[in-house]
Amino acid sequence: MSTTNHPTSSTTAPDGSQHLAAGQHVALRLWENEEPGAPKPLSSKPYETVGYVLKGRAELHLEGQVTTLEAGSSYLVPQGASHTYKILETFSALEATSPPAR
């Protein structure tokens, strides 16, 4: 098994996420204890994101639709989709991105 990042050597990205592991086609990151606040500006990314909520609540604003995320929820943000998140309660989630978010 080959990895570019081992979980014990995770790095924190400028956006606040912890990059846990990355391969050639997929990467894993953790958003931990994100605090409530105003939604970030809409964005679109050159990768697909799938996520699983560990704790807290947030709204996912995706292509004009709003979905409430809470512990146990999973979600998908397609590559290139216009989206943002609004954290409602201290929020933690695991996300996989493909191709890897760098």
Side-chain angles (χ1 to χ4, degrees), residues 4 7 19 26-27 37 39 42 56 58 66-67 74 77 89 94 97 102:
T4 55
H19 289 226
V26 68
L42 285 173
V66 179
T67 302
S74 56
V77 178
E89 294 174 6
L94 279 172
T97 60
R102 305 272 184 208

Side-chain angles (χ1 to χ4, degrees), residues 28-96:
L28 184 65
R29 65 185 177 187
L30 172 66
W31 295 93
E32 190 169 35
N33 297 321
E34 294 289 310
E35 292 298 327
K40 297 177 183 177
L42 285 173
S43 66
S44 61
K45 304 294 183 185
Y47 49 80
E48 177 177 69
T49 302
V50 293
Y52 181 80
V53 180
L54 301 170
K55 73 174 188 177
R57 288 183 47 238
E59 291 177 347
L60 169 59
H61 298 245
L62 176 65
E63 296 286 325
Q65 296 185 12
V66 179
T67 302
T68 300
L69 304 174
E70 55 192 15
S73 297
S74 56
Y75 54 96
L76 166 69
V77 178
Q79 182 176 8
S82 177
H83 70 284
T84 189
Y85 300 89
K86 180 178 182 183
I87 308 300
L88 304 173
E89 294 174 6
T90 304
F91 186 80
S92 295
L94 279 172
E95 290 185 339

